[in-house]
């Protein structure tokens, strides 16, 4: 880029590409949420609780790393710890149900993943640190996370390809 106008154009294009990708992710999330509503299988309560507890532990660790407490984070959000736990549980249940829905689409449609899907999964897991994330996941025995994420991303694309999306202004 050798001119101010060239820089503006490059920034505008980059911003548009970012917003387009963000919108595509939003449409997949809405599609997965709608599919999750149609599942007849419920996620076991103990799995929801385990994920919610993990989310709270992660939030607690982030708060500590920032030199604050979970109580201060709750106060900042205008809630108490009990409300935060309920919110985490609801979010965990929703995420797990959506994951099950995407898994079901992947299996039902006989979809397959390739190296491009795996690369997209690693980017989703750790944008900009894909190689380090892959090495860490392999070393810790969590390499299946890459496959699972790739399958769910592929199922999400399938949903988008076959969904009727109506955008309301």
């Amino acid at each position: 880029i050798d001119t101010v106008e060239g820089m503006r154009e490059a920034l505008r294009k980059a911003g548009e590409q970012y917003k387009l990708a963000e919108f595509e992710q939003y449409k997949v999330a809405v599609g997965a949420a709608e599919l999750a509503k149609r599942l007849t299988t419920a996620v076991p309560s103990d799995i929801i609780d385990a994920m919610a507890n993990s989310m709270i532990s992660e939030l607690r660790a982030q708060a500590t790393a920032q030199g604050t407490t979970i109580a201060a984070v709750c106060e900042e959000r205008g809630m108490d710890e009990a409300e935060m736990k309920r919110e985490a549980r609801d979010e965990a249940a929703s995420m797990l149900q959506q994951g099950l829905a995407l898994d079901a689409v992947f299996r039902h449609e006989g979809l397959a993943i390739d190296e491009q899907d795996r690369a997209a999964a690693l980017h989703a897991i750790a944008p900009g640190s894909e190689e380090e994330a892959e090495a860490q996941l392999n070393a810790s025995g969590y390499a299946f996370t890459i496959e699972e994420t790739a399958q769910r991303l592929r199922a999400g694309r399938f949903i988008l390809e076959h969904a009727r999306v109506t955008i309301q202004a």
Side-chain angles (χ1 to χ4, degrees):
I1 302 173
D2 54 1
T3 66
V4 171
E5 189 56 41
M7 182 178 73
R8 286 183 181 144
E9 180 64 18
L11 288 172
R12 184 187 61 72
K13 284 182 181 178
E16 287 174 357
Q17 288 175 341
Y18 175 80
K19 284 296 186 184
L20 183 61
E22 193 175 64
F23 186 57
E24 291 301 304
Q25 289 174 346
Y26 174 75
K27 290 190 299 187
V28 168
V30 170
E34 284 301 314
L35 278 176
K37 291 176 187 176
R38 299 173 188 179
L39 280 182
T40 57
T41 304
V43 178
S45 211
D46 57 336
I47 294 175
I48 294 171
D49 291 338
M51 184 170 181
N53 289 336
S54 175
M55 292 166 68
I56 291 167
S57 292
E58 193 173 308
L59 183 61
R60 186 171 276 119
Q62 288 174 356
T64 301
Q66 294 173 357
T68 188
T69 65
I70 197 77
V73 171
C74 287
E75 185 178 322
E76 184 179 297
R77 293 182 181 182
M79 61 175 68
D80 61 23
E81 283 194 53
E83 288 174 297
M84 184 199 59
K85 287 178 181 178
R86 279 192 300 279
E87 203 172 271
R89 192 176 195 295
D90 291 347
E91 186 177 339
S94 175
M95 289 169 60
L96 288 165
Q97 199 75 4
Q98 287 179 32
L100 286 177
L102 290 170
D103 294 345
V105 167
F106 187 85
R107 281 190 315 273
H108 180 76
E109 296 299 330
L111 301 175
I113 57 172
D114 57 22
E115 285 308 311
Q116 195 172 12
D117 294 317
R118 286 180 186 85
L122 282 166
H123 181 73
I125 292 168
S129 303
E130 292 85 351
E131 289 178 15
E132 296 88 355
E134 183 175 24
Q136 187 177 24
L137 290 167
N138 285 331
S140 64
Y142 284 92
F144 68 88
T145 305
I146 300 166
E147 295 292 310
E148 181 180 78
T149 302
Q151 290 173 0
R152 289 178 177 179
L153 289 172
R154 179 64 190 97
R157 283 199 323 276
F158 179 87
I159 291 168
L160 271 185
E161 291 165 2
H162 295 87
R164 186 178 55 222
V165 178
T166 304
I167 300 169
Q168 297 176 346

